[in-house]
Amino acid sequence: MQENEKMSHENDNDEHHLPANGDNGTESHDHDHDHDHDHDHDHDHDHHHEESFISKYIFSLDHKMIGKQFLVYGLLMFFVGGGLALLFRWQLAYPERPIPIIGASQQYIDEGEVATGADKMWERIYESDKEEWLEVNMPSGVITPAFYNMLFTMHATIMVFFVVVPILVGAFGNFLIPLMIGTRDMAFPVLNMLSFWLAVLAAVIMTVGFFVPGGHAAAGWTGYAPLSADPQWTGVDWGQNLWAISLLIQGFSSLVGSINYITTVINMRAPGMTFFRLPLVIWSLFIVAILLLLAFPVLSSALALLIFDRLAGTTFFTSTAEGGGDPLLWQHLFWFFGHPEVYILILPGMGIASEMIPVFSRKPVFGYKSMVYAMIAIAFLGWIVWGHHMFQSGMQPSLGAFFMTTTMLIAVPSAIKTFNWLGTLFRGSIRFTTPMLHSIAFVSMFVIGGLSGIYMANTPVDIYIHDTYYIVAHIHYVVFGGSLFAIFGGVIYWYPKMYGRYMNDTLSKIHFWLTFISFNCTFFPMHILGIGGHMRRISDPTQYEFLQGFQGMNIFITMSAFTLGFAQLILLFNFFWSMSRGKVAEKNPWNVNTLEWEAPTPVPHGNFEQIPTVFRGPYEYSVPGEESDWIPQAQPEHAPATGGD
Amino acid sequence: MYKWLPFPENISTFGVGVDKLFMSIYWLTLIVFILVTITLVAFLIMYRHRPGHKAAYIEGSTKLEIIWTTATTVIVFGLALLSYPQWNKIKSPTQLPTPEVIVQVSAKQFNWDMTYPGPDGEFGTEDDLELENQLHVPEDKVVHIQLTSVDVIHSFFLPNLRLKQDALPNRFITVWFEAMETGNYEIACAELCGFEHFGMRGFLTVHSEADYEAWKAEMWPPQ
Ligand code: HEM
Ligand SMILES: [Cu+2]
Ligand SMILES: [Cu+2]
């Protein structure tokens, strides 16, 4: 930081000594960036020849293209994950009833006739003597209990590992970090490309799992051993192996990416861009990269041991009366990774919201430093709360007190962030653009999710609500209500920089309201189911007498879920349609201070014509005595140079 | 309980405390939620963009940060302090009340095997009684459940008793309860344990003192 402070002074007299900028930071070239265009773009990977389609769109080394690749990847997987959820939601609303359109009609099942529509398909399947995939998993279009377990396992696995993390970290991380810290690319562009293609490989392997004999992993996204450790308990053979292998690869992809982010943020900030002038979203991505770097190896080792148990006959996670390993070891390893992972899912969301709220309130973010410290506190506390997932697991109960205390404490930085967002709105001049609507939804949904966390952090109350729909509600309020609303908002907000066009605002608004309403109709009632004792992960609640009364609510939830799913099609359409048809956007359509908007649109290879110099913090809006209500970070004239400090 | 919250009826002694705690958190979080939402909505309306209106330049307030950090810390610690004794009372292995009835429960895919000691009051003897999915206990007596599993992890969930405990293979975990109402209730498996997880259902019968003796006389005839 000291060094950077010095650097910014040097730059005040316009000398452009820019150490390490644009280079990969490992060698310290101290070359002058003159205004010669070619020289400016001179760094290892950037050649000024016409790029072929393949090197531009497929094996791209450009952080922006890799970011967009991750975005499209994440959005496509979002539809796979969502589709799986709709399938099992049908089963929960109407257990044992064939799925409409793809399932056989009741008449067909009863009488074996009526050969119209889907019935034809089922007839053909019944007549062929092959063991058809559909017939095994959904005879006549009714989801079997084993398939049900596969569906929710893969729904959560895909959403967590293949949607939210790739979009938040892969897409926003890649696109925003170099642009917002003012550099030309990531520190290690080749590693960056590797990170994306590893993620693709992982997704392919994960998909293949559906079609292997025995079916896909069915032990939940948490993969508790011994259920996951031995095929005899589930009948799932290679599905579970592929699940583990795919996650190992995905972990490697995240690891490579995180090393890249950390190096880039530490070494390649533009002159004058001190740590305390970093936009909050960059702080969040930086912290998340550190969390990923430290957390994923724990999951990877657990997965490796699981694979040994399954394929090499070891007993790390299984026990026999004579000895062997311990099933709780898996849970400790999984949650030691898993809790930091859930913060990986939310911190960049918080960062994204923290960008949009000041911009659309035309006000500095309230308590910049306390926002940063709160994120750091969350990142530290996140390592010592994992036991809150294991209160009822048979872990020594006296540990419960410790984990309850740390978990309750983590609510404090969460509350600080919420109050600061409210403080940012206070006496602002709020514009209700669609990204802002998403940010507001983010804050209020996150509040609900954080508050429901307190119930479960409370050990005696958790005895009752653990493993019920209460947790399902909590998860979705934080991850869907939180992270996904931030993602939607962020996509709309940065779309003009990514694709040079706006997304269609009418469609965006329709998508927002439909999503906001149907999201709440889908997930709020789940709190009530949880209070009623409705267990999670059961394929047929009507088996239980004490759950009979909830069937109406389950049907309502399913209807809302289908609406929610439909609303996302609008987003998908709008996203791809606007790439070529959207209104062309100007360079800085929202009047934002941060550096990504200094770059020309569409952003060229190498990002900036000239590396900007930073003179102030990122949130100088409505500064008294100024004519304009925003002062870009790179604008020299008004150099109070204290910025966010 | 509050009618708008569809809790199944509580019949256990410690369940009263659990429900009270739930309700304290309920009121606490409800108030916080309402205050935050009112503030949010008020700000959105009061500070909406109007022509000629400029936002104030406010970077933050150390005083406010200190106030709300301290306040939330105090509240969550207070809540934690309230909960420690409850948790220890229910789950601490060193604070188990002396049992008047002991039943061994062994979970297996996808049943609950309940073993009663039989007339000699000892487990592992010939007169042990084994029942599938049927747990019979007397009212107002401390019951110990010695819980284990023979295959994967299950979770012994008695909604009406506000009791849940995972059953682990090759570990024996003792949990206790004291039921205050007679009647028939359901037992569920709360931890995913395989494809029939949803059907792993058991039944709890709480007998009155006299009924229980009659049930014993019928099921455990003295040799
Ligand atoms: C105020 C902050 C929070 C508190 C006090 C809290 C507390 C808890 C507790 C105690 C559990 C375990 C409940 C149980 O298994 O019985 C839990 C589960 C969970 N939480 Fe949170 N949480 C908070 C915020 C978050 C955030 C920000 C996220 C993610 C973005 C998150 C994601 C999850 C997930 C995914 C699970 C369930 C994992 C599973 O069993 O499948 N939580 N939370
Ligand atoms: Cu956690
Ligand atoms: Cu079970």
Side-chain angles (χ1 to χ4, degrees):
Chain A
M1 222 185 94
Q2 285 259 308
E3 227 174 318
N4 274 301
E5 220 75 83
K6 221 168 54 213
M7 228 188 281
S8 75
H9 290 308
E10 266 173 28
N11 279 293
D12 283 346
N13 32 323
D14 223 6
E15 269 195 14
H16 291 276
H17 279 285
L18 311 178
N21 228 309
D23 292 298
N24 64 17
T26 48
E27 316 145 54
S28 63
H29 290 242
D30 201 319
H31 62 220
D32 287 345
H33 278 256
D34 55 14
H35 295 248
D36 175 340
H37 206 75
D38 270 305
H39 182 79
D40 233 47
H41 281 237
D42 167 36
H43 48 146
D44 40 19
H45 66 278
D46 192 359
H47 307 289
H48 266 258
H49 55 73
E50 273 300 301
E51 290 171 287
S52 68
F53 178 82
I54 294 207
S55 74
K56 182 154 184 212
Y57 292 105
I58 302 186
F59 295 107
S60 173
L61 293 169
D62 181 6
H63 73 98
K64 299 180 291 295
M65 183 51 70
I66 297 175
K68 289 186 222 172
Q69 286 173 328
F70 265 117
L71 184 56
V72 170
Y73 168 105
L75 286 177
L76 293 181
M77 293 305 274
F78 179 46
F79 286 87
V80 177
L84 298 178
L86 295 186
L87 284 178
F88 68 70
R89 265 321 314 177
W90 175 264
Q91 161 71 17
L92 283 169
Y94 305 107
E96 313 294 306
R97 204 190 297 172
I99 297 171
I101 305 174
I102 59 170
S105 72
Q106 196 58 46
Q107 200 176 3
Y108 178 76
I109 295 170
D110 294 343
E111 301 167 18
E113 282 177 43
V114 187
T116 53
D119 296 349
K120 272 222 179 80
M121 174 184 82
W122 290 104
E123 198 160 61
R124 230 175 291 132
I125 289 173
Y126 288 138
E127 277 165 11
S128 72
D129 46 20
K130 281 182 290 168
E131 228 205 5
E132 290 279 350
W133 188 86
L134 271 175
E135 200 187 329
V136 172
N137 291 314
M138 296 193 284
S140 307
V142 180
I143 293 165
T144 64
F147 189 50
Y148 179 89
N149 290 356
M150 252 174 251
L151 288 173
F152 71 70
T153 299
M154 293 321 298
H155 161 71
T157 303
I158 288 178
M159 288 301 191
V160 170
F161 294 99
F162 294 86
V163 178
V164 178
V165 175
I167 296 184
L168 284 177
V169 183
F172 287 112
N174 262 307
F175 190 82
L176 296 179
I177 290 176
L179 279 172
M180 290 181 96
I181 66 173
T183 185
R184 300 198 181 286
D185 205 324
M186 285 286 178
F188 310 116
V190 179
L191 281 189
N192 210 11
M193 178 183 80
L194 180 70
S195 160
F196 176 70
W197 287 101
L198 283 173
V200 172
L201 178 65
V204 169
I205 295 177
M206 198 52 99
T207 313
V208 168
F210 278 104
F211 304 103
V212 296
H216 216 324
W221 80 283
T222 50
Y224 277 14
L227 190 65
S228 60
D230 192 329
Q232 67 168 310
W233 306 129
T234 49
V236 175
D237 192 3
W238 267 90
Q240 192 78 45
N241 298 345
L242 292 177
W243 176 85
I245 292 167
S246 166
L247 289 186
L248 267 177
I249 298 174
Q250 192 73 339
F252 200 65
S253 155
S254 294
L255 212 60
V256 169
S258 60
I259 290 171
N260 210 348
Y261 294 180
I262 294 170
T263 315
T264 308
V265 172
I266 293 180
N267 287 328
M268 294 169 68
R269 281 164 290 124
M273 181 61 93
T274 61
F275 266 99
F276 278 120
R277 285 178 183 172
L278 283 178
L280 288 171
V281 70
I282 300 301
W283 264 109
S284 74
L285 288 163
F286 179 59
I287 292 169
V288 158
I290 297 172
L291 290 181
L292 275 171
L293 182 71
L294 300 176
F296 246 109
V298 180
L299 178 68
S300 301
S301 33
L303 290 167
L305 298 182
L306 184 71
I307 293 174
F308 291 151
D309 271 10
R310 293 181 62 85
L311 295 178
T314 56
T315 58
F316 290 106
F317 303 126
T318 55
S319 58
T320 57
E322 293 85 55
D326 192 327
L328 282 191
L329 174 62
W330 169 268
Q331 293 185 30
H332 280 294
L333 290 175
F334 185 87
W335 288 119
F336 190 77
F337 148 80
H339 191 85
E341 167 74 10
V342 306
Y343 280 102
I344 290 167
L345 299 176
I346 195 74
L347 281 172
M350 294 174 162
I352 292 170
S354 305
E355 291 310 310
M356 299 189 288
I357 292 175
V359 169
F360 295 114
S361 308
R362 309 312 291 167
K363 251 194 89 203
V365 80
F366 194 89
Y368 173 90
K369 280 203 172 162
S370 91
M371 290 295 242
V372 173
Y373 293 138
M375 286 197 277
I376 295 175
I378 286 174
F380 271 104
L381 286 171
W383 294 102
I384 49 168
V385 299
W386 82 90
H388 65 214
H389 297 274
M390 297 173 62
F391 288 143
Q392 322 309 332
S393 70
M395 171 181 82
Q396 165 61 259
S398 33
L399 285 173
F402 170 77
F403 283 119
M404 165 165 55
T405 314
T406 53
T407 305
M408 294 266 193
L409 270 185
I410 215 167
V412 175
S414 309
I416 294 176
K417 297 208 69 102
T418 306
F419 292 138
N420 280 320
W421 286 317
L422 291 180
T424 309
L425 296 173
F426 173 67
R427 296 185 57 198
S429 173
I430 301 167
R431 294 143 216 236
F432 294 98
T433 58
T434 323
M436 186 61 172
L437 293 179
H438 281 284
S439 310
I440 297 164
F442 168 90
V443 173
S444 53
M445 298 299 97
F446 177 73
V447 168
I448 298 183
L451 291 175
S452 68
I454 295 182
Y455 291 74
M456 302 181 302
N458 197 275
T459 44
V461 173
D462 186 66
I463 297 175
Y464 178 63
I465 57 180
H466 173 65
D467 268 331
T468 65
Y469 265 82
Y470 204 86
I471 290 186
V472 182
H474 166 72
I475 297 171
H476 288 90
Y477 266 88
V478 280
V479 183
F480 198 135
S483 316
L484 270 174
F485 273 106
I487 286 174
F488 295 150
V491 167
I492 300 168
Y493 175 72
W494 277 294
Y495 198 90
K497 198 42 87 182
M498 290 183 176
Y499 296 100
R501 288 168 189 275
Y502 291 98
M503 281 173 73
N504 180 297
D505 195 51
T506 314
L507 287 179
S508 296
K509 284 230 161 65
I510 296 175
H511 166 255
F512 170 77
W513 286 109
L514 266 182
T515 305
F516 185 74
I517 294 167
S518 55
F519 164 79
N520 281 293
C521 291
T522 305
F523 295 109
F524 197 82
M526 290 189 185
H527 293 108
I528 302 170
L529 292 182
I531 291 172
H534 193 313
M535 294 78 73
R536 67 196 282 208
R537 296 173 171 174
I538 55 171
S539 65
D540 185 355
T542 60
Q543 296 278 315
Y544 285 91
E545 232 160 80
F546 79 105
L547 299 179
Q548 297 291 340
F550 292 109
Q551 209 43 33
M553 197 172 276
N554 264 325
I555 293 173
F556 176 75
I557 290 174
T558 296
M559 294 304 170
S560 311
F562 274 88
T563 315
L564 187 58
F566 167 76
Q568 305 322 307
L569 294 180
I570 303 177
L571 175 84
L572 190 72
F573 171 78
N574 194 0
F575 182 80
F576 288 108
W577 183 84
S578 301
M579 279 185 194
S580 57
R581 302 295 184 80
K583 203 172 99 207
V584 175
E586 51 275 34
K587 183 172 143 192
N588 189 351
W590 321 108
N591 297 344
V592 189
N593 290 341
T594 44
L595 295 182
E596 78 274 29
W597 305 98
E598 298 284 327
T601 303
V603 190
H605 215 161
N607 298 345
F608 300 97
E609 274 150 24
Q610 191 191 325
I611 290 294
T613 301
V614 173
F615 295 93
R616 60 182 66 73
Y619 305 112
E620 296 295 298
Y621 295 103
S622 304
V623 179
E626 296 291 335
E627 213 166 282
S628 148
D629 72 350
W630 54 296
I631 314 175
Q633 284 191 279
Q635 181 177 306
E637 290 94 290
H638 323 259
T642 43
D645 285 40
Chain B
M1 282 302 280
Y2 295 83
K3 270 197 229 69
W4 65 92
L5 296 176
F7 277 104
E9 180 202 2
N10 168 56
I11 58 160
S12 92
T13 47
F14 57 66
V16 178
V18 171
D19 286 356
K20 275 208 185 112
L21 241 134
F22 185 99
M23 290 320 292
S24 337
I25 304 176
Y26 176 80
W27 288 117
L28 177 74
T29 52
L30 192 68
I31 291 169
V32 171
F33 175 72
I34 291 175
L35 287 181
V36 169
T37 307
I38 289 180
T39 315
L40 178 68
V41 173
F43 284 3
L44 293 180
I45 296 172
M46 287 158 63
Y47 306 120
R48 69 187 182 281
H49 170 63
R50 278 152 296 168
H53 165 94
K54 201 176 170 190
Y57 183 83
I58 307 171
E59 286 188 288
S61 152
T62 314
K63 199 170 125 204
L64 276 177
E65 301 284 351
I66 292 173
I67 291 177
W68 58 51
T69 308
T70 322
T72 38
T73 312
V74 168
I75 291 174
V76 294
F77 264 115
L79 205 55
L81 281 177
L82 273 179
S83 320
Y84 298 137
Q86 294 273 354
W87 170 250
N88 287 335
K89 181 174 152 198
I90 302 171
K91 286 276 174 107
S92 171
T94 55
Q95 293 183 25
L96 290 170
T98 323
E100 287 156 289
V101 175
I102 304 180
V103 184
Q104 290 184 337
V105 175
S106 172
K108 65 159 193 263
Q109 285 184 328
F110 298 93
N111 279 304
W112 304 100
D113 284 339
M114 318 280 187
T115 307
Y116 300 83
D120 66 355
E122 306 242 339
F123 287 100
T125 52
E126 251 177 40
D127 63 354
D128 288 3
L129 174 71
E130 278 199 31
L131 294 178
E132 217 169 60
N133 298 326
Q134 299 287 342
L135 181 59
H136 291 262
V137 298
E139 181 190 20
D140 296 329
K141 290 265 161 28
V142 172
V143 178
H144 274 201
I145 302 287
Q146 296 174 348
L147 190 62
T148 190
S149 159
V150 300
D151 40 44
V152 298
I153 299 175
H154 301 267
S155 191
F156 188 62
F157 179 29
L158 297 137
N160 302 86
L161 291 168
R162 308 292 188 263
L163 179 61
K164 186 179 287 130
Q165 175 60 54
D166 286 7
L168 298 170
N170 298 303
R171 278 211 205 179
F172 294 83
I173 297 171
T174 302
V175 286
W176 74 279
F177 63 82
E178 184 179 333
M180 304 184 296
E181 295 288 328
T182 61
N184 296 308
Y185 307 94
E186 284 178 298
I187 303 171
C189 179
E191 185 68 66
L192 176 65
C193 60
F195 70 93
E196 279 277 0
H197 164 57
F198 71 100
M200 191 160 161
R201 174 174 175 230
F203 304 89
L204 166 71
T205 311
V206 181
H207 296 278
S208 65
E209 180 91 60
D211 260 10
Y212 185 65
E213 290 308 322
W215 177 80
K216 267 199 334 197
E218 185 195 335
M219 302 299 286
W220 308 355
Q223 273 107 0

